[in-house]
């Protein structure tokens, strides 16, 4: 900041050849005429003081120390602030002393001070100001030289914004601040190795991230009206919503419908109306447009054969009116939708395992009734079973695993829905599973968790359908605990897993398997199962 000082106001010097005018401050009465000879001496002294004051003021304004701005700060110049303070202190000390002398000379307040003393004071003040100005100029030159040298030694790729210098180990903190703050900030520097984090500071450990193309598990935090702990429930996707229906907690069976918005992770309980649906478990729920077809299931010793349809837009349950023959009551069966029909395969009726195949048209007839029909097949049916999976792949269904109550299966059967012909494939090694889930992602069948005949598992097995070979991948994150009787569904590049049972505990947690680069697999061209075997 710069300030301007004006020369003190003083009587103008007398014009040569004219009589000096009597200044206002020296006007006397006529009775004081006897001191007029002395006034000329006093006037000369005042004139000399006035000229000295003007000279001192001009010298002060010419001095570099007249500018009170601090020199610009440069990198690596630790003394810039200190030097600026010293220069300002010297300048502040110089200006009042000079001004006091000028004020004293111009106002004539020091009648006993001589011209020599005034000139000496002015000379000393000017010399001090000039000295300060020389030091100021020398400091500026030194600062610029040091800054230029530092600029030359520092490599940069962008002249307007040089890169950050390499990080140096921080000294031990001795003040009250936590020493963990600095390493924590260092951890976000580009190229900073996490190995420099102190071993005794667990808060600074950076969690390992999965590589971009790799899959990883994460437990999801959801909000709203969450479902209770349950097993043997169904989870079905319509749009971006996941519908969970039924289930059992080893004590109570449910008939509620919970909806998860997969975008906001918000749970809500659907306020349904219409026909009352009995609580059930080990049933099937099949999506047809905006409707859910629920068949079978049971509670305890009860087994159902009723078909219910839920309109997810109106939230109305309808018990389907059925004509003719219909499947026997059962649970642990599978259903899928193909070409306008809902197909049913296998299950158990409490006495024996089943391997029959039924279908019902997804649209009622003119009388608003549904008609079941048993489908005749060729090629030999798979062994009777329940707790298996049936996955639609094009015009074929892949039936894998399950149990007949005595044995856990690991075989794979294919049903061509256009020819209604069964075929059976041997996959090496034969992996046994029951109460698992199977989700189609492109040409891979993701078999998740389940029971292998001896214990519960949390593995993710990938059956490559074009080669009919099992594959495994490294999956990062925290996997769900081993379990079976859970529910899975695919939505937006994620396989959601909900609930389940591990032989002792029933779960209500929600996990998501982020498929990462595997989420692009559904975009692969059409393939034939076993074409590259």
């Amino acid at each position: 900041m710069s300030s301007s000082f004006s020369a003190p106001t003083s009587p103008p010097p007398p014009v040569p050849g004219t009589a000096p005018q009597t200044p206002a401050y020296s006007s006397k009465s006529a009775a004081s005429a006897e001191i007029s000879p002395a006034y000329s001496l006093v006037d000369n002294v005042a004139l000399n003081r006035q000229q000295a004051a003007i000279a001192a003021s001009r010298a002060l304004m010419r001095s570099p120390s007249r500018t009170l701005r601090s020199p610009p700060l440069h990198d690596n110049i630790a003394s810039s602030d200190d030097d600026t303070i010293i220069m300002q202190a010297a300048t502040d000390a110089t200006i009042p002393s000079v001004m006091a002398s000028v004020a004293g000379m111009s106002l004539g307040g020091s009648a006993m001070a001589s011209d020599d003393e005034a000139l000496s004071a002015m000379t000393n003040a000017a010399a001090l100001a000039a000295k300060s100005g020389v030091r100021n100029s020398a400091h500026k030159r030194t600062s610029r030289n040091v800054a230029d040298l530092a600029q030359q030694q520092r490599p940069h790729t962008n002249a307007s914004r040089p890169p950050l210098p390499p990080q140096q180990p921080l000294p031990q903190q001795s003040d009250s601040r936590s020493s963990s703050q600095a390493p924590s900030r260092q951890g976000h520097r580009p190229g900073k190795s996490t190995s420099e984090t102190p071993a005794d500071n667990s808060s600074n450990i950076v969690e390992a991230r999965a590589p971009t193309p790799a899959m990883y598990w994460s437990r999801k935090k959801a909000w709203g009206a969450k479902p209770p702990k349950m097993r043997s429930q169904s989870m079905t996707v319509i749009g971006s919503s996941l519908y969970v229906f039924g289930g059992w907690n080893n004590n109570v069976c449910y008939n509620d419908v919970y909806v998860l918005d997969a975008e906001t992770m918000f749970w809500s309980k659907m306020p349904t109306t219409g026909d009352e649906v009995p609580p059930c478990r080990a049933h099937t729920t099949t999506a047809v447009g905006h409707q859910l077809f629920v068949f079978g299931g049971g509670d305890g010793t009860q087994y159902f054969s009723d078909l219910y349809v839920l309109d997810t837009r109106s939230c109305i349950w309808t018990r389907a009116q059925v004509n003719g023959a219909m499947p026997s009551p059962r649970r642990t069966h599978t259903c899928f939708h193909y070409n306008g029909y809902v197909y049913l395969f296998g299950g158990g009726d409490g006495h024996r395992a089943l391997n029959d195949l039924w279908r019902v048209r997804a649209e009622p007839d003119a009388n608003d009734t549904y008609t079941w029909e048993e489908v005749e097949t060729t090629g030999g049916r798979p062994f009777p079973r329940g707790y298996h999976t049936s996955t639609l792949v094009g015009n074929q269904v892949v039936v894998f695993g399950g149990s007949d109550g005595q044995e856990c299966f690991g075989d794979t059967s294919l049903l061509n829905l256009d020819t209604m012909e069964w075929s059976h494939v041997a996959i090496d090694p034969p992996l046994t599973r029951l109460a698992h889930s199977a989700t189609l992602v492109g040409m891979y069948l993701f078999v998740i968790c389940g029971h292998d005949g001896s214990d519960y598992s949390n593995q993710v097995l990938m059956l490559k359908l074009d080669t009919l070979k099992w594959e495994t991948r490294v999956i990062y994150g925290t996997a769900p605990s081993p379990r079976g009787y859970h529910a899975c569904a695919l939505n937006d590049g994620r396989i959601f897993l909900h609930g389940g049972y591990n032989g002792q505990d029933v779960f209500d947690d929600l996990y998501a398997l982020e498929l990462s680069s595997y989420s692009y697999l559904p975009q692969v061209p059409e393939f034939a199962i076993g074409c590259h075997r």
Side-chain angles (χ1 to χ4, degrees), residues 166-178:
Q167 291 295 310
Q168 299 295 331
L170 295 178
Q172 294 293 333
Q173 299 288 338
S174 58
D175 55 9
S176 59
R177 292 177 300 177
S178 174

Side-chain angles (χ1 to χ4, degrees), residues 186-217:
Q186 279 187 344
H188 297 283
R189 295 284 190 182
K192 188 65 179 176
S193 173
T194 56
S195 61
E196 295 184 13
T197 305
D200 57 347
N201 194 347
S202 59
S203 63
N204 293 326
I205 297 177
V206 179
E207 182 181 359
R209 296 289 183 180
T212 302
M215 297 181 291
Y216 62 95
W217 280 108

Side-chain angles (χ1 to χ4, degrees), residues 45-46 147 169 172 174 196 247 272 280 286 291 368 395 402 464 489:
V45 173
Q172 294 293 333
S174 58
E196 295 184 13
T272 59
C280 60
T286 308
Q291 295 179 323
D368 202 23
N395 65 339
K464 199 168 187 294

Side-chain angles (χ1 to χ4, degrees), residues 352-367:
R352 58 191 174 95
L354 305 170
N355 64 347
D356 50 349
L357 180 68
W358 292 76
R359 71 179 182 181
V360 59
R361 185 172 291 278
E363 292 290 338
D365 58 18
N367 297 324

Side-chain angles (χ1 to χ4, degrees), residues 4-80:
S4 59
F5 294 94
S6 59
T9 305
S10 58
V15 180
T18 62
Q21 298 180 1
T22 302
Y25 60 81
S26 61
S27 59
K28 303 291 181 181
S29 62
S32 304
E34 63 272 16
I35 63 172
S36 58
Y39 173 74
S40 60
L41 178 60
V42 175
D43 189 66
N44 291 334
V45 173
L47 179 60
N48 293 336
R49 290 177 177 176
Q50 178 186 1
Q51 294 174 350
I54 294 174
S57 178
R58 291 176 177 174
L60 180 61
M61 297 181 68
R62 287 194 301 267
S63 173
S65 64
R66 173 70 181 82
T67 302
L68 300 182
R69 291 193 300 266
S70 301
L73 299 179
H74 301 281
D75 295 337
N76 303 324
I77 304 299
S79 62
S80 297

Side-chain angles (χ1 to χ4, degrees), residues 103 145 171 219 261:
N145 294 337
R219 182 168 180 174
D261 188 324

Side-chain angles (χ1 to χ4, degrees), residues 235 242 262 265 487-489 491 494-498 510-512:
M235 184 161 64
L242 281 67
M265 302 306 299
C488 280
N491 176 262
R494 295 173 292 180
I495 298 179
F496 288 91
L497 182 150
H498 176 258
L510 178 68
Y511 283 82

